[in-house]
Amino acid sequence: MSKFEFPESINSRPVWGTLEPRPGKSHLMIADAEGAEALLELAKADDRLMSKSTILYFPKGTGETYLEDLENLGAAQLYVGPSYSAAVARLRRILQDAHMGLQIYLSGTESLMGQAMREAADAGIPHSAIQTEHRGSVARRMQCVHCKGITDDVMTDPFVCSHCGLNLFVRDHYSRRIAAYQGVCVDAENPGNVPEPVELYS
Amino acid sequence: MTIQFNDETFRDDYTFRNSQWAIDRFPFPFHEDSYMYSVNMEQHQGGPAGSVFEKRFDVDEHYVSEMKDRALVLAEDPLRCQCLPHMTLAGWDLLELIMVSKSEDYPDLFELHREGNNWHWINKPLGIDHKFVFLDETTLPYGPMEYITRQSQGDFAVLDQRDDNLWMDAGMVTTQADWSLDFDIGMNFFEWHAPVPKANEMGIFVRALKFLLNIQQGTPARRLNWTMTVNPLLDTSPENYHKWGVQKTTLTPENIGTKQHLRVELQTFFRLPRSNALVFPIRCYLISLQDLVTVPKWGRRLHRVIRDLPVELATYKGFIDNRPMIVDYLSQFDDGLPTSDGIWPDKNTEPPLQT
């Protein structure tokens, strides 16, 4: 139910996969909201994984839904935090202390996976070596190409830039370095003529 | 050869003009009466005397004013020039390539004197006389790529080569056809071309990448690309699109000849020796329709190309709304006569417009 089949798109748009256990000395799992379901399935696929795993989890709108199940996985460490951004320093420290043989698993929203992937890539792990699985909301993290401000959890096209207030349309063009899709002024050639916002993939 | 440098603007009052010399040597991009994507690469080993293909880095009457415009763009938005840390050596490679090429190709305008790593660069049009130490960044006011590309017309994408791909890891981009270096930096060849319609399905990018990966030192390549721009605006950036986009709505049948410009990119590709990076200069040439149709062959052909261009391409190139007006205007300069093959104006052999 939490899985969504994204339609085929352009080459810069990320393609998310399905998590599977890989051999590794240690495992770092980062998930938000319904992303917890992918971790629960991952643990089921290999019951030896969790004793070597660190989990960073952000429930977002799901509240307590998955907490008990996650606690029962017996992870070496389970951190449940209020937001991804609050945990960035913690994540950087974990990556700094990481050794060869670390496996990374990301699941949940595109915003969470994109940002965590960027941190891992900055720490020297190739993005192609990181596993991902999309679950839950199809909301996007958008960068305004005009003011460069980020608006997270964008659910409609067009939307209003939370920084400069321009009405932006949602492109599929994606930057791993910015961990965001590109938003471009929708009424530049016809000021004030802003189409009615439509929910993404509706 | 002496060039009279224009004092002109590419914004606000738009005083940009092409002289007769610039019109005659304009790189008209259509070799036949229709257009579709192709891997239209050829060797960049000179070209007819006086043409924009003759020198490795063409310098023309717009040089000084284009460099002023670039400085204005960078002052407003320094992110138009970026260089990921591993690309500094490629920046030195590029600086060397441009300084050596320009001093050899335009000895009356540029001089380079080298004693080991102690270099003396003289750029007469811009009034620069500078001694610095090659490969020592502390002796330049900017990084090497920024330093030299503030003195060179056209945008520059500097591409790292690894994993059988090219990566947009550095660039100076202020005269772009609506793409953002700040957004695209770090992307590979397929990712930064992702928004281009059709070409991917046609296999264009796979073939183009194969070609580019194999470019060797001393054998640069080139191709032409094109779009349409209202007003001679060099900085058609996505960053400023909310400001310039509305200019597209100012076209009228009366002003279209002077306002609507054909925008042509001379794209060249050079392998860089130390870094093995590829530099991809993208030089922008603008011409008003009114000037372009003074060449009968070009007037006939541009009308046919624009009229018959697939909708997706006209949309992607951003002139779908104005296409009917452009075609109306150009149709006055198409008498239906056949046109000669190739891009050259052929002014002496092509018949004048029949009325």
Side-chain angles (χ1 to χ4, degrees):
Chain A
M1 169 195 147
S2 62
K3 282 201 171 187
F4 180 79
E5 201 70 37
F6 290 103
E8 207 168 302
S9 183
I10 61 175
N11 273 325
S12 57
R13 195 216 190 290
V15 176
W16 312 110
T18 304
L19 300 185
E20 52 182 63
R22 279 188 190 162
K25 281 206 319 208
S26 59
H27 305 268
L28 173 60
M29 301 169 184
I30 307 169
D32 69 355
E34 286 88 351
E37 292 178 11
L39 297 190
L40 297 174
E41 287 172 24
L42 184 67
K44 224 180 274 175
D46 183 349
D47 55 12
R48 295 160 304 172
L49 213 56
M50 284 300 157
S51 61
K52 295 185 284 183
S53 292
T54 297
I55 299 176
L56 305 184
Y57 179 63
F58 314 99
K60 294 191 83 174
T62 63
E64 308 266 312
T65 314
Y66 300 104
L67 294 189
E68 199 182 327
D69 287 343
L70 286 173
E71 277 160 18
N72 290 337
L73 290 179
Q77 277 187 44
L78 169 65
Y79 164 85
V80 179
S83 70
Y84 171 80
S85 56
V88 171
R90 173 183 293 261
L91 172 58
R92 285 182 187 156
R93 177 58 189 267
I94 292 170
L95 290 167
Q96 185 191 319
D97 293 346
H99 293 278
M100 291 293 287
L102 172 75
Q103 294 286 356
I104 296 185
Y105 308 78
L106 311 175
S107 67
T109 62
E110 298 196 276
S111 170
L112 180 277
M113 291 191 288
Q115 293 179 82
M117 182 179 282
R118 177 177 61 180
E119 288 300 329
D122 286 350
I125 298 166
H127 70 89
S128 51
I130 298 168
Q131 290 196 69
T132 59
E133 182 166 338
H134 175 265
R135 294 283 183 134
S137 166
V138 296
R140 293 189 181 193
R141 187 175 136 93
M142 301 294 306
Q143 189 200 38
C144 172
V145 75
H146 311 292
C147 79
K148 308 292 183 184
I150 298 282
T151 305
D152 212 339
D153 289 324
V154 169
M155 270 310 293
T156 63
D157 179 19
F159 69 100
V160 177
C161 174
S162 61
H163 300 263
C164 69
L166 284 175
N167 291 285
L168 307 179
F169 69 92
V170 173
R171 293 187 81 190
D172 273 357
H173 199 33
Y174 181 85
S175 162
R176 274 194 301 276
R177 190 181 133 269
I178 301 168
Y181 291 93
Q182 190 174 64
V184 179
C185 184
V186 72
D187 59 338
E189 296 179 32
N190 199 348
N193 186 6
V194 179
E196 204 52 40
V198 175
E199 191 156 312
L200 294 179
Y201 300 109
S202 65
Chain B
M1 183 190 106
T2 315
I3 301 171
Q4 283 293 322
F5 296 107
N6 301 348
D7 182 9
E8 60 193 356
T9 57
F10 302 88
R11 56 179 68 210
D12 306 325
D13 57 351
Y14 294 111
T15 59
F16 163 88
R17 293 294 177 273
N18 281 311
S19 67
Q20 190 60 49
W21 173 72
I23 295 170
D24 290 340
R25 72 197 296 274
F26 189 81
F28 188 70
F30 307 110
H31 63 90
E32 57 188 4
D33 287 354
S34 63
Y35 174 79
M36 183 30 80
Y37 296 126
S38 63
V39 186
N40 52 336
M41 300 275 192
E42 60 179 17
Q43 294 301 316
H44 184 43
Q45 303 280 8
S51 75
V52 303
F53 308 109
E54 183 186 9
K55 313 292 193 189
R56 285 166 281 187
F57 296 90
D58 182 48
V59 176
D60 68 9
E61 63 191 21
H62 308 297
Y63 176 48
V64 174
S65 292
E66 281 189 31
M67 294 301 97
K68 282 186 193 153
D69 194 71
R70 165 156 294 163
L72 290 173
V73 173
L74 291 170
E76 279 177 14
D77 183 0
L79 297 177
R80 303 299 188 83
C81 180
Q82 295 192 47
C83 183
L84 297 184
H86 60 283
M87 297 302 282
T88 305
L89 184 63
W92 285 110
D93 277 334
L94 177 61
L95 174 144
E96 176 186 55
L97 174 68
I98 293 177
M99 286 186 178
V100 169
S101 301
K102 283 193 169 173
S103 60
E104 289 175 357
D105 293 350
Y106 299 93
D108 54 330
L109 301 179
F110 305 96
E111 288 176 30
L112 178 64
H113 306 282
R114 292 182 282 185
E115 293 228 1
N117 278 348
N118 294 310
W119 290 26
H120 182 190
W121 167 244
I122 302 171
N123 177 336
K124 291 177 191 167
L126 296 184
I128 293 167
D129 185 315
H130 192 172
K131 291 177 174 149
F132 65 96
V133 179
F134 187 67
L135 298 175
D136 180 353
E137 275 188 85
T138 63
T139 61
L140 289 178
Y142 308 100
M145 178 190 72
E146 179 167 357
Y147 177 76
I148 195 58
T149 57
R150 278 177 178 265
Q151 302 178 42
S152 301
Q153 287 165 278
D155 286 343
F156 291 82
V158 187
L159 315 176
D160 195 24
Q161 183 160 334
R162 57 180 195 272
D163 300 338
D164 289 326
N165 212 325
L166 293 168
W167 302 80
M168 175 90 65
D169 285 348
M172 166 69 90
V173 177
T174 67
T175 68
Q176 65 285 268
D178 206 5
W179 64 279
S180 168
L181 173 73
D182 181 53
F183 195 80
D184 288 0
I185 193 168
M187 289 188 190
N188 70 36
F189 191 76
F190 298 109
E191 291 166 344
W192 87 68
H193 284 116
V196 183
K198 275 188 153 178
N200 189 52
E201 296 85 310
M202 291 169 67
I204 296 287
F205 296 128
V206 172
R207 274 178 286 151
L209 178 63
K210 260 186 195 163
F211 181 92
L212 294 172
L213 289 174
N214 287 303
I215 285 182
Q216 305 291 312
Q217 270 186 65
T219 56
R222 68 182 174 223
R223 69 183 285 262
L224 295 174
N225 196 10
W226 69 280
T227 188
M228 303 288 270
T229 303
V230 175
N231 291 326
L233 174 62
L234 279 177
D235 181 29
T236 47
S237 60
E239 278 81 359
N240 285 333
Y241 171 61
H242 59 304
K243 299 175 190 163
W244 60 262
V246 73
Q247 293 180 26
K248 292 190 195 177
T249 64
T250 61
L251 279 190
T252 66
E254 291 69 43
N255 67 23
I256 188 168
T258 53
K259 256 187 175 324
Q260 180 66 59
H261 288 68
L262 174 65
R263 182 187 193 102
V264 174
E265 292 177 352
L266 170 57
Q267 306 182 344
T268 50
F269 308 88
F270 297 81
R271 178 70 59 195
L272 297 174
R274 297 169 188 77
S275 57
N276 198 43
L278 199 68
V279 65
F280 173 19
I282 309 161
R283 171 68 181 279
C284 171
Y285 294 86
L286 293 162
I287 189 169
S288 67
L289 294 188
Q290 176 180 274
D291 285 347
L292 184 134
V293 300
T294 61
V295 178
K297 170 180 168 182
W298 291 352
R300 293 182 180 109
R301 178 165 292 168
L302 187 65
H303 170 245
R304 297 167 197 178
V305 168
I306 299 297
R307 180 192 64 198
D308 301 339
L309 193 73
V311 171
E312 281 157 288
L313 268 69
T315 306
Y316 172 64
K317 290 176 184 289
F319 64 89
I320 189 75
D321 291 346
N322 286 329
R323 172 153 75 170
M325 206 192 298
I326 297 170
V327 171
D328 264 1
Y329 173 81
L330 289 173
S331 66
Q332 307 169 72
F333 305 97
D334 185 0
D335 49 21
L337 290 183
T339 52
S340 57
D341 287 342
I343 63 173
W344 305 104
D346 298 333
K347 272 178 139 174
N348 296 324
T349 50
E350 287 289 278
L353 182 69
Q354 312 291 301
T355 47

